[in-house]
């Protein structure tokens, strides 16, 4: 799939939104990709995951023992990446504000993990999730995501492979362009402000 094909999948799912959005980082944007919508069609989710898995370098693919993703946004794409790679898929939760494996999920010491996210904006959630995997005894060999919104700026501490890189401008809430400030802000993501 080309970048245009991938964006067509988002458009077909009505997952490319325009307005005034509060991102999980607290920053603001006039565009938002609602990955939950693009992933609600299991065949589309499978196509996107297969494409993303195929873009991982062979040496990294051969190392992966398990896929782990942060809940909620990463659960579906993480599961589909596990299927595409032929490995188990688990997810992290934050019941007390810090990522952890629950529901009987556990890692063997040294198990090689591919971290999978839906969207990376600042990389904060990814770094927190990677730290949780390390604390659980795993080793994150790389991260994959449907979308990199960081304009290549996110430093995750591991190789990073996004399916699509978008450079939508983001703004601090106290430094909005006039046209964005005139629109009521909404928070479409799952994380609380």
């Amino acid at each position: 799939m080309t970048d245009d094909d991938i964006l067509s999948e988002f458009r077909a799912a009505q997952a490319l939104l325009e307005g005034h959005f509060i991102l999980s980082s607290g920053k603001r944007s006039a565009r938002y990709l609602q990955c939950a919508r693009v992933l609600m069609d299991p065949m589309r989710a499978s196509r996107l995951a297969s494409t993303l898995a195929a873009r991982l370098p062979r040496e990294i693919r051969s190392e992966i023992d398990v896929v782990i993703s942060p809940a909620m946004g990463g659960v579906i794409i993480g599961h589909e990446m596990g299927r595409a790679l032929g490995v188990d898929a688990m997810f992290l939760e934050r019941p007390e504000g810090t990522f952890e494996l629950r529901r009987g999920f556990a890692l063997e010491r040294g198990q090689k993990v591919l971290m999978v996210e839906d969207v990376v904006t600042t990389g904060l959630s990814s770094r927190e999730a990677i730290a949780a995997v390390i604390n659980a005894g795993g080793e994150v060999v790389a991260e994959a995501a449907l979308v990199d919104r960081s304009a290549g700026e996110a430093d995750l501490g591991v190789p990073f492979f996004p399916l699509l890189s978008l450079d939508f401008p983001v703004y601090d809430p106290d430094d909005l362009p006039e046209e964005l400030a005139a629109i009521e802000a909404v928070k479409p993501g799952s994380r609380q402000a």
Side-chain angles (χ1 to χ4, degrees):
M1 294 177 87
T2 66
D3 284 359
D4 285 339
D5 294 333
I6 296 161
L7 274 174
S8 291
E9 295 280 8
F10 276 87
R11 286 187 187 100
Q14 298 177 342
L16 180 55
L17 310 177
E18 295 193 7
H20 181 178
F21 303 101
I22 303 170
L23 306 177
S24 62
S25 64
K27 294 193 180 279
R28 307 297 179 89
S29 179
R31 291 196 173 147
Y32 187 84
L33 288 174
Q34 183 54 275
C35 289
R37 287 207 42 97
V38 81
L39 295 171
M40 71 183 200
D41 175 339
M43 296 309 293
R44 179 179 285 126
S46 179
R47 281 193 304 274
L48 293 171
S50 294
T51 302
L52 182 53
R55 290 188 182 181
L56 296 173
R58 181 173 300 145
E59 61 275 7
I60 287 179
R61 277 196 320 264
S62 68
E63 281 190 83
I64 299 167
D65 296 318
V66 64
V67 167
I68 296 184
S69 53
M72 274 300 297
V75 171
I76 295 171
I77 190 60
H79 182 268
E80 290 299 324
M81 285 293 289
R83 181 196 322 253
L85 294 166
V87 299
D88 287 342
M90 298 184 260
F91 55 88
L92 298 159
E93 297 176 83
R94 291 194 233 225
E96 304 295 326
T98 303
F99 280 124
E100 60 184 86
L101 290 170
R102 302 180 69 210
R103 302 174 193 268
F105 293 149
L107 291 170
E108 295 174 20
R109 183 140 313 277
Q111 228 174 345
K112 307 287 193 226
V113 174
L114 175 68
M115 182 64 62
V116 177
E117 288 256 28
D118 56 349
V119 178
V120 172
T121 302
T122 65
L124 176 61
S125 290
S126 295
R127 289 187 300 275
E128 291 172 349
I130 289 168
V133 167
I134 292 167
N135 289 338
E139 178 189 336
V140 178
V141 296
E143 175 157 339
L146 282 177
V147 179
D148 175 12
R149 280 198 58 150
S150 78
E153 297 293 317
D155 179 6
L156 308 180
V158 298
F160 179 39
F161 302 96
L163 184 59
L164 185 64
S165 294
L166 297 175
D167 193 8
F168 295 153
V170 294
Y171 308 95
D172 288 321
D174 56 353
D175 190 26
L176 297 173
E178 224 174 271
E179 62 276 6
L180 199 56
I183 303 170
E184 183 177 348
V186 294
K187 184 161 181 39
S190 61
R191 194 185 310 172
Q192 296 299 310

